[in-house]
Amino acid sequence: MNQHEDKKITKISDEIIDKSVELMKVSQEQLQREFDYIQAEKLLRKMLGKGLITEIEFHKIDALNRQTFSPFLAEIMP
């Protein structure tokens, strides 16, 4: 293998590593959004259960939370 091929392989390897790190970062951010959404939903359900908000308010706030947190599963949630 010559020096040019070695540099090319190194560059390709670096690009793969960079993309892997980027994908991992997105995954961590997505996990955090999922967690935040679930926590917000639990709080909303408690508020609904205690009569602090109505069913209509629950659904409106939940819709806003889905926009804010962009949970991955929001597309298939009712």
Side-chain angles (χ1 to χ4, degrees):
M1 190 180 309
N2 65 35
Q3 188 177 7
H4 178 71
E5 289 174 333
D6 190 40
K7 285 182 180 181
K8 189 174 182 179
I9 289 172
T10 301
K11 183 179 178 190
I12 292 171
S13 296
D14 289 346
E15 289 175 8
I16 291 170
I17 290 170
D18 288 346
K19 287 183 182 193
S20 295
V21 169
E22 185 179 326
L23 287 173
M24 200 166 72
K25 181 180 176 186
V26 170
S27 296
Q28 290 297 323
E29 290 172 4
Q30 185 64 45
L31 284 174
Q32 185 63 53
R33 286 195 302 267
E34 293 288 332
F35 176 79
D36 293 344
Y37 173 76
I38 290 168
Q39 294 301 94
E41 185 187 24
K42 284 181 182 180
L43 180 60
L44 269 182
R45 290 198 181 279
K46 284 183 182 180
M47 292 173 71
L48 180 62
K50 292 184 178 196
L52 299 173
I53 58 174
T54 66
E55 186 94 18
I56 292 170
E57 291 169 323
F58 171 86
H59 291 295
K60 285 181 180 180
I61 296 169
D62 187 53
L64 289 172
N65 284 343
R66 289 181 196 200
Q67 290 176 352
T68 301
F69 298 116
S70 301
F72 181 71
L73 299 175
E75 297 170 6
I76 62 171
M77 294 176 177

